[in-house]
Amino acid sequence: MRTFPEVSPPMTERENGSDRPLPGVPDTSDDGTSGPPVSGSDNHHASRQTGHTTNEADATDGDDRCTDGQCTCGARGSDGMASDRWAIADGGASAANVDENGSLGDIEFTQPADGVSQDVERGGSPDERVNVPDGAAVDTPGYSIRSEMNDIETPDDKTWFMELDTAVIDEGRCIQCGTCVAACPSDSIGIGDDGLPELVKMCTGCSLCWDFCPRGGLRYERQWKITGGEDNVSGAGDPITEFSARVEANWREGAQDGGVVSSLLIHLLEAGEIDGALIATESDEEAWKAESFLATTPEEVIDNAGSFYNQTMALGNLDLAQWEHKLPDKDHEDLSLALVGTPCEIEGVRALQDFEWEYQSQNAGVRGVEYTIALMCTKNFNYQRLIGEQLEAKRDISPDEIGKLDVLDGNMYVYDEDGEQLLAEDIENFHGAALKGCDECADFTGYAADVTVGSVGSSDEYSSVIVRTEHGLDAWQHAAPDLDYHDLEDRSAVGGLQSWDKKNAFEALERPFDPDAPRFIDYTDHVENYGTELNPHEADH
């Protein structure tokens, strides 16, 4: 119920030396009070502060201005009901659609028209704007309208998603790691149908999406050094130990090379060290398109063994709510996860974990990653350009025919479901399908990971394993009893490809490569090196 403050006594001209009351204000009563009395008063003018009595007995109660239900004082209309002229305490008028008891009366509804719609028979369309005045602008104004509406300037330390969009995504340099999605403290960034980050609600200009992007504000070579520490055990740096290894179980036939990644995850799950592992699975709709998947059982790990050569926006899928049905019944903050990803994804999650900021829906997932496994990587591919254009359109290899993809010794290999080779071709012929941002990466061996696994440096059916941290050593020791392993066969092959990858990165990077420089690169510094637009948020971006 709406309530009103007590009514203060109305002012009269007597207070100014006149005996005449002010217009529309009741006379002062015999007891010295004035204005509508509270409920229970003998005065008929109001039984409540919010209205006027309609009781016939009250209407003739000693007041010759209201007789036979007819009010002549202005408080009632000619029908005896309360007049709109009877003011209430907040300056409004009494409600017109309620009775004297405050009850809502009968309401008559008008039935909507049936079968009547916009006439589209004469060339119109349902979304056509009609009756637009001449010269009226009907399109949504661009972001620059802000400057037309007020004189407030953006603070110098603000960096918006529009900067990331301009410098990285629009320039084709996005590596689809998903770090920007995970970093956003307001869940303003989502994943579009094209697999790229996009703004889904208002940006606050906090700069975190820019700061943590490995192709934007994150100086990834500095992250190696910070992660490594001085002893090279707590993070990236000189390996603790290196092996060539393979799984001897029958399920290895579906795995990549020696199946070591799957073995590490299975043993961590069985030992209760992790509750789940974020890996890649094949899309139900598009063959050989990778999607993020949380494996929580050894069977799920085995079913999804193997490699895909396109990104999954992995760090954008750390919202544990979507995996609720697969996770154990305990607080998300108490969960432990493993993350398998490319070196850039490992750099991103390591940087995020270094700060105690709240990452909104992704926060528990980011904090829950305790084991990181990097896959040796020189480049990754755009799914449509690799599978749709290069393999299917140009080489007549249907995605449904492919049983296995592999990149080894500088060649792209494609096999069918029976293991028969369909293609062996120089990887350089597929360069147009690669993600442009991969050219700038100098991290072939995943410096920031606990364990790095790949094929370079080991013979067929073996995986090369580089253990870099104590967590990585713990994972290795769980799996080692079930592995066939020995010292890494060819360290020079690994080092040679790492050097080649770094050389290419130095040619593609348009900023200085400096492990001793600050971790975060200001957008203005990026603009100076890359020539991208300064302050794109002030234009119609």
Side-chain angles (χ1 to χ4, degrees):
M1 174 182 285
R2 187 180 183 187
T3 60
F4 301 95
E6 292 185 1
V7 179
S8 301
M11 180 181 292
T12 71
E13 291 189 7
R14 293 187 183 94
E15 297 173 8
N16 292 324
S18 170
D19 291 332
R20 186 171 60 86
L22 292 177
V25 179
D27 289 338
T28 303
S29 62
D30 294 339
D31 62 0
T33 62
S34 62
V38 296
S39 178
S41 167
D42 289 338
N43 192 305
H44 79 281
H45 284 291
S47 61
R48 297 182 293 134
Q49 290 186 15
T50 56
H52 185 66
T53 182
T54 58
N55 185 286
E56 285 293 329
D58 288 343
T60 58
D61 187 15
D63 191 335
D64 58 6
R65 290 179 299 175
C66 292
T67 59
D68 298 327
Q70 299 298 315
C71 180
T72 60
C73 68
R76 293 177 181 271
S78 60
D79 59 356
M81 298 301 291
S83 168
D84 286 343
R85 292 169 57 191
W86 181 254
I88 59 177
D90 63 355
S94 59
N97 60 342
V98 297
D99 61 20
E100 65 274 15
N101 297 317
S103 300
L104 186 66
D106 293 336
I107 298 177
E108 187 175 313
F109 290 96
T110 302
Q111 292 295 326
D114 185 26
V116 177
S117 184
Q118 182 176 339
D119 183 6
V120 296
E121 298 298 326
R122 291 174 292 180
S125 62
D127 60 350
E128 178 183 349
R129 294 183 175 99
V130 296
N131 300 325
V132 178
D134 292 339
V138 294
D139 292 326
T140 302
Y143 194 83
S144 61
I145 195 173
R146 185 180 63 169
S147 61
E148 300 173 16
M149 295 172 63
N150 58 60
D151 296 325
I152 300 175
E153 296 183 0
T154 303
D156 292 337
D157 58 351
K158 284 280 189 181
T159 305
W160 306 79
F161 177 80
M162 283 71 82
E163 272 88 344
L164 181 70
D165 200 10
T166 299
V168 176
I169 302 170
D170 284 353
E171 288 294 312
R173 298 174 55 239
C174 177
I175 50 179
Q176 300 179 13
C177 61
T179 310
C180 58
V181 180
C184 184
S186 57
D187 286 342
S188 295
I189 306 173
I191 304 172
D193 293 337
D194 56 2
L196 296 173
E198 67 176 22
L199 201 64
V200 295
K201 62 181 181 181
M202 184 175 292
C203 175
T204 64
C206 71
S207 86
L208 295 187
C209 63
W210 170 261
D211 290 340
F212 289 108
C213 173
R215 294 299 170 267
L218 181 65
R219 196 183 308 274
Y220 65 82
E221 66 271 23
R222 176 63 174 169
Q223 184 61 36
W224 306 345
K225 191 169 183 177
I226 293 173
T227 306
E230 295 180 358
D231 56 8
N232 288 333
V233 174
S234 61
D238 295 334
I240 295 175
T241 187
E242 300 164 303
F243 300 101
S244 292
R246 69 176 182 180
V247 172
E248 295 187 301
N250 292 333
W251 60 259
R252 184 178 61 82
E253 293 181 5
Q256 199 78 2
D257 306 316
V260 172
V261 171
S262 298
S263 182
L264 292 172
L265 298 178
I266 288 170
H267 283 86
L268 288 172
L269 283 168
E270 290 179 338
E273 293 292 323
I274 59 173
D275 299 297
L278 195 68
I279 59 176
T281 190
E282 185 176 10
S283 167
D284 292 332
E285 287 77 30
E286 298 177 270
W288 284 94
K289 182 175 183 180
E291 294 179 349
S292 288
F293 179 77
L294 188 73
T296 56
T297 66
E299 292 74 21
E300 287 181 335
V301 172
I302 294 172
D303 289 343
N304 292 283
S307 292
F308 299 87
Y309 288 90
N310 60 273
Q311 292 281 61
T312 64
M313 292 286 286
L315 301 190
N317 286 282
L318 285 173
D319 179 359
L320 299 184
Q322 67 178 306
W323 312 113
E324 192 80 50
H325 61 290
K326 299 170 64 69
L327 290 167
D329 185 18
K330 57 183 177 181
D331 290 341
H332 287 173
E333 290 72 17
D334 297 328
L335 293 170
S336 176
L337 305 174
L339 172 68
V340 180
T342 53
C344 55
E345 291 171 336
I346 307 303
E347 292 161 359
V349 74
R350 288 291 207 197
L352 292 169
Q353 290 177 332
D354 284 344
F355 296 89
E356 292 302 319
W357 298 328
E358 175 73 33
Y359 300 123
Q360 203 61 18
S361 64
Q362 312 282 336
N363 193 60
V366 169
R367 305 299 175 195
V369 173
E370 293 192 28
Y371 293 86
T372 57
I373 302 174
L375 306 174
M376 293 182 185
C377 180
T378 58
K379 63 183 63 177
N380 220 316
F381 297 89
N382 173 277
Y383 169 78
Q384 186 56 46
R385 293 201 299 265
L386 176 64
I387 304 297
E389 297 175 10
Q390 294 289 337
L391 294 181
E392 186 170 27
K394 290 187 177 181
R395 293 166 176 82
D396 198 29
I397 299 176
S398 168
D400 296 326
E401 295 179 67
I402 301 173
K404 183 178 180 180
L405 283 172
D406 204 356
V407 176
L408 185 65
D409 300 327
N411 291 319
M412 169 75 76
Y413 295 95
V414 182
Y415 303 89
D416 65 14
E417 294 287 354
D418 297 323
E420 293 294 323
Q421 189 178 97
L422 301 177
L423 178 75
E425 192 172 333
D426 193 324
I427 192 65
E428 288 300 316
N429 296 337
F430 298 88
H431 186 73
L435 299 177
K436 180 181 175 182
C438 292
D439 293 341
E440 300 180 31
C441 178
D443 190 6
F444 166 63
T445 55
Y447 283 124
D450 295 312
V451 181
T452 300
V453 181
S455 59
V456 177
S458 295
S459 54
D460 290 348
E461 298 186 352
Y462 278 83
S463 297
S464 297
V465 183
I466 303 174
V467 179
R468 296 188 181 276
T469 71
E470 290 176 337
H471 262 97
L473 188 59
D474 178 56
W476 169 260
Q477 290 171 342
H478 276 91
D482 289 338
L483 297 174
D484 170 18
Y485 67 93
H486 47 266
D487 286 346
L488 183 62
E489 296 169 6
D490 191 353
R491 288 181 174 82
S492 64
V494 178
L497 196 49
Q498 173 65 62
S499 298
W500 176 87
D501 194 49
K502 185 176 289 187
K503 176 179 177 294
N504 286 344
F506 288 175
E507 293 174 356
L509 270 176
E510 297 184 39
R511 63 166 178 82
F513 183 90
D514 186 358
D516 294 317
R519 178 171 5 198
F520 299 121
I521 305 164
D522 288 341
Y523 183 74
T524 51
D525 292 338
H526 181 91
V527 168
E528 290 180 6
N529 288 290
Y530 283 82
T532 49
E533 184 178 4
L534 186 65
N535 298 324
H537 54 279
E538 294 181 357
D540 280 335
H541 182 69

